[in-house]
Amino acid sequence: MKELIRTGDQVLISYLTHRLAEAGVESFGMDAHMQRSLGILPQRIMVADEDYDRAQRILDEVRREG
């Protein structure tokens, strides 16, 4: 697994996870429990090594939209 993004922006995390799922890219959110408890730590979105390039393109699209 590779880290795609690390952010505390919950809206971005939610939207990116949705877009990845639409494209058939399985993602795994790490540190979500820490984000909820403390509210200060960034959450990581991880993807499989073989999906990383496609996921990075989707992340780039999401950033351009925002």
Side-chain angles (χ1 to χ4, degrees):
M1 294 209 101
K2 287 187 177 183
E3 181 179 312
L4 178 63
I5 190 172
R6 182 183 302 231
T7 181
D9 184 341
Q10 293 300 307
V11 173
L12 174 59
I13 290 168
S14 177
Y15 184 58
L16 178 58
T17 302
H18 169 76
R19 289 284 306 273
L20 291 169
E22 279 186 331
V25 176
E26 187 174 346
S27 64
F28 181 74
M30 297 185 70
D31 309 317
H33 62 286
M34 297 300 289
Q35 175 69 20
R36 286 189 201 106
S37 346
L38 301 175
I40 56 172
L41 298 176
Q43 182 177 340
R44 294 176 285 166
I45 299 295
M46 309 293 286
V47 296
D49 293 347
E50 60 270 13
D51 290 332
Y52 182 79
D53 292 334
R54 187 164 41 136
Q56 185 63 54
R57 285 191 299 275
I58 293 167
L59 174 58
D60 292 342
E61 289 173 11
V62 166
R63 285 181 169 156
R64 279 193 301 270
E65 291 171 6

